[in-house]
Amino acid sequence: MITEAVRRLKNGDVVAFPTETVYGLGADATNNLAIQKIYAVKDRPSHHPLIVHLAAPMMLLANAKTTTDVLADAWLQIISPWVRDLPPAAMQLILAFWPGPLTLVLKKDKHVLDTITGGQSTVAIRSPSHPLAQELLAAFGEALVAPSANRFGKVSPTRAADVYAEFGNESEILVLDGGDCEFGIESTIVDLTASEGIRLLRPGMITPSSIYAKTGLHIDTFKSSEQETVSPRVSGSFKAHYAPNTPLQLYQTDKLNTSLNELDAQIAVQNHLRKLRIGLGVWESTANLPTVPSHIALSSVQLEIFTLPSDHLSFANSLYRTLRDLDLQNYDIILLPEPPAGEVWDGARDRLQRAAFGSGPSSANQASN
Ligand code: TXA
Ligand code: MG
């Protein structure tokens, strides 16, 4: 499979492969025509920049004993064709988190293709930790650009079957099957190009606190509403993204009964000929279980209740898979609890809010606003 994947990549074709976050749609990062195929397959607007995926140093993958200096030197050689001015903080982050789910935005080298960066002066890079991704990168011998392997604005894939489902018509796309993705949401993105400090562009499973704990570096976070104006080119910053076709609404756990009553009343006035089917997700931990509303008289909706993992790692890991599976249940509405406050939930909460905003049959239109 790897040999065939490499052959196709050399030929300028796209290949889907697993990473520890989500599946990516990879193409040769030095081949303009191959990169353009990604935009075409995804229906992605051409000014949305892509992440360059790099192989990790062999010594690291082989678990060979080495010094930090030697390792830093090895990373530098891998990165230097892509970036100029590597700030010391970038190397600290690389040594602490690579290979892994952290993407760095840095000033680009002049040879980096405009099709990757959308013509910007910066480039996003990361080295994924999934063994199959590393095997592919090593065998290919060149960097790969890889957006998530989904159509623009839709739910990202976290298993090979999702990629097939997404690109059914282009079934000639080769998909390397690496099982379920470990993290389940896209990498954390930080921008190191501003003089004022390091900024969080996309929350993920590597949080500002974990970065601070490991490196002592402070990461500036800012609200998504600000992000949209400051950084319109982070496509994940669209309010509508990661969206299922079934309308998705979020409720506050302590206000479930109120939300259900309101929804029931709204639907009642719409005069449907039947009760609407609501897929209602509740936290599985008994501590968080809402008073399941058996006593509530709902006249216009029928609830089908399922549980969601209440720890942040399992929740993120299964989030996209759950959204995809729920989309196949033909519910009229999906109702999910808002994740709790707290930084470890930021990534999942961010994705879920965008998914809710963009959900429904017309989500593709909203997403590309
Ligand atoms: O976990 C991930 O990062 C996955 C896997 C496949 O590696 N990839 C991924 O790619 O999420 P994509 O294309 O779905 O999202 C890439 C994000 C976009 O939001 C894009 O705008 C942002 O990275 N990005 C890329 N280059 C950038 C740049 N120079 N400045 C700011 N944002 C950039
Ligand atoms: Mg994506």
Side-chain angles (χ1 to χ4, degrees), residues 42 44 147-148 150 156 186 202 235 241-242:
K42 275 186 65 99
R44 179 173 167 122
S148 49
N150 54 280
S156 305
E186 297 82 351
R202 180 171 73 182
S235 71
H241 219 93
Y242 319 109

Side-chain angles (χ1 to χ4, degrees), residues 284-353:
E284 79 188 350
S285 76
T286 37
N288 284 332
L289 255 188
T291 41
V292 175
S294 52
H295 60 287
I296 295 192
L298 298 170
S299 62
S300 305
V301 303
Q302 157 195 336
L303 299 180
E304 293 175 34
I305 300 176
F306 53 89
T307 58
L308 298 162
S310 352
D311 79 280
H312 70 279
L313 289 174
S314 312
F315 183 79
N317 169 281
S318 60
L319 175 59
Y320 290 148
R321 207 159 57 235
T322 302
L323 289 179
R324 280 179 182 273
D325 291 346
L326 287 173
D327 231 358
L328 300 175
Q329 302 298 317
N330 291 318
Y331 290 125
D332 294 296
I333 297 171
I334 303 167
L335 203 53
L336 297 181
E338 245 174 59
E343 200 191 56
V344 292
W345 287 93
D346 280 354
R349 191 182 326 99
D350 167 76
R351 305 310 192 280
L352 201 49
Q353 283 169 345

Side-chain angles (χ1 to χ4, degrees), residues 14-17 23-27 37-39 41-42 145-150 163 167 173-174:
V14 299
V15 168
F17 65 96
Y23 275 72
L25 196 61
K37 275 190 198 163
I38 285 186
Y39 288 97
V41 169
K42 275 186 65 99
V145 280
S148 49
N150 54 280
V163 185
F167 298 115
I173 293 177
L174 179 73

